Amino acid sequence: MKRRKMNLYLLYHFKDSQNLSLTNEPCAYHIILLFSEVGDLSLADCKKVIPELLDVNDLNFRTKEELIEFSKNCISELDFQSVFLLASNDYNIGIESCHDLSSFREIFDRYGHHIGIEDTDQSSKNIFGKLF
Amino acid sequence: MEQLVTPEMKEVDAVFPAENWFLYWKTSPSLWESKLREFSGPNPIFVPIYWAIHSEYSDLYDFGQIKPETDLKKIAECGARAGKEIIFLIGISPLPFLINGGIPSYLARNLSLNKDGLAISVIDNQDRINRIYSFYDPKIFQAFRKFAWHLGQYFSQLGVSNSVYGLDAARIEDSHIVSYFQDHSAVFEGGFSRYIKQLQDSEPEKIHRLKEHPEYEKDLKAEYSELIKNLYFQAAKDALSGSWSGLIQTCLLGGSTKDIFKRSHDRWENERDYFHPLMKCVVNEVYPNSILLGHKIKRGSLGKAIKDIVSSPLIQSHLSKDYYEDDASLSFQPLVFFELNDSGKGHFSFERAMEKSGIKYFFEKEFPWSYKITKEFKLDIDDLEPHTVFFFFGGRLDSNSFNEVIKLFLSGSRIFIDMADLAENLAQKLETFFVENEIPLEKINYISPVTKAALGDGLIVTYDSDKLKETSLIKRAGFWEKMVNYLEIKNLQVQADEDVEYFWKVRQSNTYELNYEEIRRVSFYNPSSYKRKARVNTSSNFAFIKSVDLVNVEVKSTPIGIDILLLPGASVTLDFGYFDS
């Protein structure tokens, strides 16, 4: 599928270290939803980025660097224009001020982090540190 | 170049946005009677009571005294004059088709969160975002109790005698039907912590168990949630005792967490996505509701399917027995070959249990949607369907429900029992029962140890899902094929392309159909944008009677079956007579 003009949206839940120590889970970033304008990202697509992945629900990352790396690889491997990352807490703040579809569509843009093709290895620019 | 089009909202959509739901605040009271009179959908008409418009501020209650659109007595009178039966619904959970879930805005403080920590919200049929607030907030409960009391007083003083049901709204989340009452927010967690502290004094054995088995917390949370939900239920029931008729659980199509993202993208949302949730509601005996979906998505085969499935008999089956028609058996009802039962307490996932044993895969392949899941099994010998096959899960059986299973067997029913997690004393009790009653047993070992006990028409087959889950899905399906073939269930085989959805119904034959024992009805829908095919194979015990409601479809009778060609958006219904010879 030609995705050059499409964005990928990634909604994640961040478990802080206090909660992590209680549950013994090694991953801090759990992906809740991963989708584009036309639907969920399939397992087959995810496997192009992480070949060893068995289930989309197992998409977890230990660090924010891993999460960003995954997002950049999605742009380069899956041909997306950009990736919007949004934490569940920020989503919950954003939804408080939403009343209609147009304001809902802006949540990722207003409260999330944007990674564009210019941020990938293909580009000489590096805004890695500016994201978080 | 894209054209900008102003969305057109017909008034009928706003007032009657779903099957038989009347939203009185969406139109002028002067039009209520004519709107109700014009409505041609199924009876009765449900009127959800919008708490927030009757009580905008704390301790202010308006039932027509200030704003005419809050006059509930007038709605009841208009309904009576229009010849329509009006049933009022009071939400005992958040109602997502209303702003803030229906609660007054001064109470909208703590967002309800789902298991992933996301704020629960929906897009309604007018593309408005409705957020849901936690019903575990003590302030909401106190205000609800007062509101219900004032409503009860109003009804009794003004002689409004229409039935009132409690309404519990739910959605489908990861294949499970989840009430909007459920919440994972800090408010819920805070309440749960207080509950645990209280248990330390009142039921220390539960705390002891929790310390030994941390996974028991899930059951305790379900218990706490049920306790609080019951407070709302009881408050409404007590306040409206004169009119109170029971509880209805409705599942809102398009109301899941993912749906809000899906529905915010036109290229993602597809009517096909709502077929399985619709049928899942029927299988789970939950009233399906399309109130959140826009008119556009319901125009094609989805709208037809909703109309076919959410019919008067289905609605009446969700109401108290007073509403049952005497000749209900002569109306088409969902065809049920298998009934999966639960009588246990605490959290239980039928999905997981069905997946583990492979029944889910087998049913989807061979008997799609021709089963039902009963959450609270109660034996009613008079109402037993002779052909239904019952399933029970060992871990959910206690002494009482075990005795009910035995009674069911003795009354001639066919039963499967999953022995995994069955308490040892009950397993022994079952063996003793077989020995004492000299019931011959057949034992085989085929993937799982299987024991078959027959007495007259009664049959018990035991199996072990722990053994089944160790094998492949194909082998598990093979296991169920062998087991179910033994039961000789009379069924018409359907071959259909992947996108084609179909649903079976059944009714008794009438006096003009004496050649048949019953009439089986199958409805096909093609929600895809492509031509699709389906075939109902000829079978010795069935005769094709007629095809009805043909939309964009070609039906051809051949020696091997009925061939159907479905164009995009097509739907058709076929009737077959069943005779036992």
Side-chain angles (χ1 to χ4, degrees), chain A residues 6 9 11 13 30 32-33 35-40 88-89 91-92 95-101 103-105 108, chain B residues 109 111 113-121 123 127-131 133 257-258 260-261 263-268:
Chain A
M6 278 202 262
Y9 299 90
L11 188 60
H13 181 61
H30 167 64
I32 301 169
L33 273 175
F35 62 93
S36 70
E37 285 90 338
V38 292
D40 291 311
S88 54
N89 286 346
Y91 171 82
N92 293 348
I95 199 94
E96 285 265 34
S97 55
C98 273
H99 293 285
D100 55 24
L101 261 187
S103 55
F104 179 76
R105 286 181 183 131
F108 276 88
Chain B
R109 301 181 312 165
L111 284 171
L113 303 183
N114 74 2
K115 64 178 175 47
D116 292 317
L118 282 189
I120 302 169
S121 45
I123 297 177
D127 289 346
R128 206 174 39 206
I129 307 292
N130 292 339
R131 289 174 291 276
Y133 292 87
T257 305
K258 194 191 269 184
I260 193 170
F261 298 98
R263 297 182 60 203
S264 65
H265 293 96
D266 292 342
R267 288 165 68 196
W268 186 358

Side-chain angles (χ1 to χ4, degrees), chain B residues 394-415:
Chain B
R396 306 298 287 173
L397 289 173
D398 60 16
S399 237
N400 290 335
S401 50
F402 179 83
N403 291 340
E404 300 274 272
V405 173
I406 296 297
K407 276 187 213 161
L408 196 61
F409 167 65
L410 292 174
S411 60
S413 292
R414 297 174 296 173
I415 301 160

Side-chain angles (χ1 to χ4, degrees), chain A residues 45-61:
Chain A
D45 277 338
C46 292
K47 273 169 131 17
K48 286 179 191 164
V49 184
I50 306 177
E52 62 277 17
L53 189 73
L54 295 173
D55 189 332
V56 181
N57 294 323
D58 296 339
L59 266 177
N60 297 303
F61 301 97

Side-chain angles (χ1 to χ4, degrees), chain A residues 57-115:
Chain A
N57 294 323
D58 296 339
L59 266 177
N60 297 303
F61 301 97
R62 233 180 286 261
T63 62
K64 69 181 179 194
E65 286 76 16
E66 283 182 15
L67 179 65
I68 293 169
E69 193 58 32
F70 171 75
S71 306
K72 286 181 177 178
N73 288 341
C74 282
I75 293 175
S76 52
E77 299 292 326
L78 303 175
D79 207 20
F80 281 105
Q81 182 175 267
S82 59
V83 178
F84 286 92
L85 297 163
L86 183 67
S88 54
N89 286 346
D90 293 329
Y91 171 82
N92 293 348
I93 293 168
I95 199 94
E96 285 265 34
S97 55
C98 273
H99 293 285
D100 55 24
L101 261 187
S102 60
S103 55
F104 179 76
R105 286 181 183 131
E106 285 171 10
I107 292 183
F108 276 88
D109 203 13
R110 288 180 62 189
Y111 297 89
H113 295 282
H114 176 253
I115 300 176

